[in-house]
Amino acid sequence: MKKLSFAVGSAYTGLLALIIVCIDQLLKSAMPIGSEKGFTYIAFVAWAVYFFSGCTLKGGVRALIGYAVGITFSVGIILIAGLIPSVFFAVPLAVFIVVFAVLYLEKMPWIDLIPAMFVASGCFFGIMTYVPEATFSTATTVEMIYGFIGLLFGWITIEGKARLAKLIEK
């Protein structure tokens, strides 16, 4: 990649980051929770997930599926932890049980992007822990919307930079 092409691609990516922040500022008030803070971080994390999913449309779809699975298993962890009488071991045991099951998904096509599941789970627990009015439903809604935005912007980044490079390097 030539220096000019690299510089233009970097500026393009910076512009996309600016757009994500603007989208959050416009979108956060429509979210069922967190309207005072927004969830830009989820979009940025999902953007990165797109890159480690292979930078392909198929990888992005697998990542979105991974987000849904990760959120589902996070809900499972919370529910299982509620059934365990030990205050100290409730969450650790629930995590063990769920992670053990999750890792078997590596054998299933389209549902095998384990890193996306872990990232989604981390974001979900972040919402559930730090957004006081969060419920399973509202946290899922917010995370899937912002996760989709981030994955979409990952795709836009790759496609746009490739097209810009072709234009510049002619």
Side-chain angles (χ1 to χ4, degrees), residues 101-156:
V102 165
L103 292 179
Y104 277 92
L105 295 177
E106 281 185 314
K107 304 289 185 189
M108 298 181 68
W110 290 95
I111 310 176
D112 60 349
L113 195 59
I114 303 300
M117 294 175 202
F118 276 81
V119 167
S121 182
C123 288
F124 186 82
F125 280 114
I127 294 170
M128 292 301 292
T129 302
Y130 298 110
V131 180
E133 67 274 20
T135 65
F136 293 158
S137 176
T138 58
T140 299
T141 299
V142 166
E143 186 169 355
M144 290 303 292
I145 289 170
Y146 278 86
F148 176 79
I149 291 169
L151 292 169
L152 176 63
F153 271 71
W155 178 81
I156 291 169

Side-chain angles (χ1 to χ4, degrees), residues 8-24 40 43-44 47 50-51 149-162 164:
V8 170
S10 296
Y12 172 74
T13 304
L15 177 63
L16 292 177
L18 176 147
I19 292 169
I20 284 181
V21 174
C22 290
I23 288 170
D24 177 55
T40 305
F44 277 107
W47 195 358
Y50 183 81
F51 294 116
I149 291 169
L151 292 169
L152 176 63
F153 271 71
W155 178 81
I156 291 169
T157 302
I158 298 301
E159 289 295 314
K161 284 176 72 173
L164 284 170

Side-chain angles (χ1 to χ4, degrees), residues 3-106:
K3 288 181 184 180
L4 177 61
S5 179
F6 184 81
V8 170
S10 296
Y12 172 74
T13 304
L15 177 63
L16 292 177
L18 176 147
I19 292 169
I20 284 181
V21 174
C22 290
I23 288 170
D24 177 55
Q25 290 181 14
L26 295 170
L27 189 59
K28 67 184 181 182
S29 63
M31 291 296 102
I33 54 171
S35 62
E36 67 285 346
K37 301 276 186 188
F39 295 96
T40 305
Y41 75 94
I42 294 174
F44 277 107
V45 168
W47 195 358
V49 167
Y50 183 81
F51 294 116
F52 70 67
S53 71
C55 294
T56 64
L57 187 57
K58 178 182 177 181
V61 171
R62 288 175 53 232
L64 190 61
I65 292 168
Y67 263 63
V69 172
I71 291 168
T72 301
F73 281 115
S74 296
V75 170
I77 288 169
I78 293 168
L79 294 175
I80 291 168
L83 299 174
I84 299 171
S86 168
V87 174
F88 183 82
F89 284 109
V91 173
L93 285 173
V95 167
F96 171 79
I97 292 165
V98 171
V99 168
F100 179 80
V102 165
L103 292 179
Y104 277 92
L105 295 177
E106 281 185 314

